[in-house]
Amino acid sequence: LGAVHAGISGVYAYPGTPSTEITEFIQANAPQVRSKWCTNEKTAMEAALGMSYAGKRALVCMKHVGMNVAADAFVNSGITGIHGGLVVLAADDPSMHSSQNEQDSRHYAMGAKVMMLEPADSAECLDYAKRAFELSEKFDTPFILRICTRIAHSQSIVETGDRNECPIKDYSKDIPKFVMMPANAKKRHPVVEQRTLDIAEFAEN
């Protein structure tokens, strides 16, 4: 619901508990949002990236093991940055209720040098999702919203609000930013390192 309030234009996902219900909810309750089940998590990530590069806010949902499938596109998006806000919702499964392992998606945030928030209940899920899109655009970075099985399958009181209809950002062709040939990637590296310092300062203050 927080992503819908944040004004997303699209949600892309590959089903897998405990993340499946998020896309199902958006499909049932937000007909104005483009919603697609994808072939796998990598194609979901790429579709959401395309929407972000075009200047719209996008959400991509997957469970923790899906982060492995999406890693190629996801880690590179940490280098390119975004245009419209982009949030990757990673649903971890501690104790392996419905998964083959219990890996920790926080390592992907550190590895890709991107921001992450971890809500602790339904109200924080709503608030943090909205905040994640704002911070994604503020720091020009994809953003991970990490939940786990118990958060995904719990309920608590939330205060709903109105949908923020975000204007589409103007598109401009920017090959040095979005095409990661080695010459461009080398120039993006110091940008990412400075962004990491800026994010750390923001988090500490």
Side-chain angles (χ1 to χ4, degrees), residues 69-177:
V69 182
D72 177 43
F74 170 72
V75 173
N76 283 327
S77 73
I79 302 291
T80 65
I82 52 94
H83 189 41
L86 178 62
V87 172
V88 178
L89 190 139
D92 287 3
D93 190 15
S95 300
M96 297 176 283
H97 296 280
S98 58
S99 307
Q100 65 268 43
N101 68 29
E102 53 178 8
Q103 70 190 47
D104 188 340
S105 295
R106 288 175 286 197
H107 294 292
Y108 273 108
M110 290 184 284
K113 298 185 178 180
V114 303
M115 301 182 81
M116 171 183 273
L117 283 174
E118 299 180 83
D121 59 23
S122 301
E124 285 190 355
C125 284
L126 193 154
D127 292 339
Y128 285 16
K130 291 188 286 187
R131 190 72 170 125
F133 282 98
E134 296 170 5
L135 293 172
S136 173
E137 292 175 351
K138 175 181 175 68
F139 289 102
D140 185 23
T141 180
F143 203 106
I144 297 180
L145 189 66
R146 177 186 178 265
I147 62 172
C148 67
T149 305
R150 288 170 181 81
I151 300 301
H153 294 168
S154 66
Q155 296 180 0
S156 60
I157 295 172
V158 302
E159 185 174 337
T160 61
D162 296 324
R163 174 176 163 82
N164 176 23
E165 296 295 342
C166 293
I168 299 171
K169 295 176 181 249
D170 291 336
Y171 174 78
S172 60
K173 192 172 184 178
D174 192 348
I175 290 175
K177 175 175 167 62

